[in-house]
Amino acid sequence: MSAEGRDEDAAAAALEADPAADEVERESREHPQSSATGRQYASGREGFFGGMRAVVPFLFGTIPFGLVTGIATKAAGLSAAAAVAMTTMVFAGTAQIASLPLLVSGAPGFVVVLTAFIINLRFVIYSATAAPYFATLPMRWKMVLGYFMTDTGFALFLRRVAGQPEMAFREYYFLGSGMTVATVWLITAAVGVLAGAKVPPEWQLEFAATLGILALLAPFVRSKPDFAAAATGGAVALLASGLPMKLGLVAGAIAGICAGVAAERVFAPRAREAA
Amino acid sequence: MNPETNHLHEYGWTLWLIIFGMAAVTILNRAGFILLSGRFSLPPKVQRALKYAPAAALAAIALPDIFTSHGHIDVSLENTRLIAGLFGFSIAVLARSTLPSIIGGMLALHALQHWL
């Protein structure tokens, strides 16, 4: 297992794409002892509680996000059972919020699923980056850790193991932070679903899903290539919105990814290779 | 997203299939490389391309939604969802926070509909 060279590159690339990394960085600057560096854990229990404690400051982001997701899901017209099932099983707020306008407009199921897949492609980067640290664990551990992979949990974990690549009980640390985020997320989303049911339709809360998507887009647009990806994705999807089955959306997403890669070559040729 | 044109009920039980499908592809993305660990890795080039997926896909969903009204491209002050959406996005960029941006956008939508 190595955390040098290529892996570090991957970690840097992943962190760059990660909105939660921002928060982690701010947090670790303000409380240098809390996450980036730390002591060795003597037991799984200690590691688990260490992860729990480290993630607490980030719950202030999880709580409103859970509420918004719950309210928007209910406002889109899903039954409470379907809304809670979606929140629990998909366990990815960005994809869930993004699926709502598609469901309301009657997009075919495969387009909704494909969209969730594309939005959650960032987890592939996280998963590939974290994999070496969990390589020796038994399969059941890997499955559990995979489910609890979140933006915040990943960014926090990566900060921690970057300073301590051979950290003992790191899987417990990851699980502690992941389960805490998941618990708070599920509770707040359920509260949101209940609250959403009480909101009168005149409030037009369906629009909150669209606003949520725009708000979630913001942290992903930081560099010129990011901007190229978003602008191209949006423009192509808009111009292709006449295509049947909402395929304009898929075309936009693919065109946007290509534009981002192309813009990276234009704006930062070789810079990445040199780093 | 207009309540009068909500097609959600047309899915019936297939909505559950869609939820299962979303859950399946998401767990695949999350756990895939962890489960395969050591045997495969992701080429850096692919990782760099995947970085752009969220920005591209989120913009591809949201922009057509706010830039059209009644099925046509509408870039005018009349399009209240466009103005409210851009307002909410600006708050998200400046405040780096989701909740104020959604509240601000909703308030802007209602204010515009009331005054325009």
Side-chain angles (χ1 to χ4, degrees):
Chain A
M1 169 180 358
S2 81
E4 310 97 67
R6 191 178 44 76
D7 286 347
E8 222 159 65
D9 242 312
L15 276 174
E16 214 178 300
D18 175 7
D22 228 23
E23 259 178 280
V24 173
E25 208 167 298
R26 206 179 320 140
E27 174 59 25
S28 55
R29 236 184 293 121
E30 284 161 19
H31 307 280
Q33 302 309 319
S34 69
S35 57
T37 56
R39 61 202 176 88
Q40 284 284 351
Y41 296 118
S43 67
R45 195 189 147 86
E46 257 186 45
F48 187 88
F49 284 111
M52 274 184 85
R53 268 195 304 276
V55 85
V56 166
F58 304 98
L59 297 178
F60 292 102
T62 308
I63 292 166
F65 188 39
L67 286 172
V68 164
T69 306
I71 292 171
T73 306
K74 193 73 193 73
L78 271 82
S79 68
V84 170
M86 197 182 204
T87 312
T88 317
M89 293 197 295
V90 182
F91 183 45
T94 310
Q96 179 164 338
I97 289 182
S99 73
L100 300 174
L102 301 179
L103 290 170
V104 167
S105 69
F110 82 91
V111 172
V112 182
V113 173
L114 188 59
T115 304
F117 175 75
I118 294 172
I119 287 174
N120 287 334
L121 274 177
R122 67 187 192 285
F123 289 135
V124 175
I125 309 179
Y126 302 174
S127 178
T129 310
Y133 297 101
F134 301 138
T136 55
L137 293 173
M139 208 51 154
R140 58 174 195 282
W141 258 107
K142 290 180 181 173
M143 289 192 329
V144 172
L145 295 176
Y147 173 80
F148 285 109
M149 178 66 75
T150 60
D151 293 306
T152 310
F154 170 74
L156 207 56
F157 178 74
L158 208 65
R159 284 297 292 203
R160 188 64 207 255
V161 293
Q164 217 175 328
E166 300 297 324
M167 180 173 116
F169 300 106
R170 53 183 171 271
E171 66 273 28
Y172 286 92
Y173 178 89
F174 188 87
L175 193 64
S177 65
M179 285 183 80
T180 308
V181 171
T183 307
V184 171
W185 154 258
L186 294 176
I187 291 171
T188 50
V191 171
V193 169
L194 295 176
K198 304 219 184 294
V199 174
E202 308 87 83
W203 285 25
Q204 303 171 68
L205 263 189
E206 321 80 49
F207 189 58
T210 303
L211 287 168
I213 299 168
L214 288 166
L216 294 168
L217 172 64
F220 286 109
V221 184
R222 300 158 133 199
S223 64
K224 285 175 186 168
D226 291 342
F227 183 80
T232 308
V236 170
L238 181 61
L239 295 174
S241 57
L243 286 180
M245 305 193 294
K246 285 262 167 187
L247 283 174
L249 160 62
V250 179
I254 293 168
I257 294 171
C258 297
V261 172
E264 196 176 279
R265 294 189 179 189
V266 173
F267 292 115
R270 301 278 110 197
R272 284 296 171 69
E273 276 78 358
Chain B
M1 293 221 313
N2 197 317
E4 285 95 65
T5 57
N6 192 332
H7 297 276
L8 191 87
H9 64 276
E10 291 162 22
Y11 288 103
W13 62 272
T14 58
L15 178 65
W16 287 92
L17 275 187
I18 296 173
I19 294 174
F20 285 125
M22 288 173 68
V25 297
T26 305
I27 192 76
L28 196 77
N29 283 344
R30 280 192 159 120
F33 273 96
I34 293 180
L35 295 177
L36 290 172
S37 56
R39 268 167 286 167
F40 275 104
S41 69
L42 202 56
K45 273 191 180 161
V46 178
Q47 293 212 16
R48 277 177 217 151
L50 293 186
K51 244 177 26 178
Y52 298 109
L58 292 171
I61 297 166
L63 298 194
D65 201 27
I66 58 171
F67 275 96
T68 52
S69 66
H70 308 292
H72 297 283
I73 295 180
D74 180 0
V75 186
S76 70
L77 286 175
E78 305 275 288
N79 186 353
T80 49
R81 287 155 74 260
L82 174 62
I83 312 294
L86 293 179
F87 182 69
F89 183 73
S90 316
I91 297 178
V93 170
L94 296 174
R96 290 189 168 198
S97 181
T98 318
L99 196 62
S101 134
I102 292 175
I103 293 172
M106 287 306 299
L107 291 175
L109 179 76
H110 285 280
L112 288 164
Q113 286 176 345
H114 189 77
W115 300 112
L116 286 183

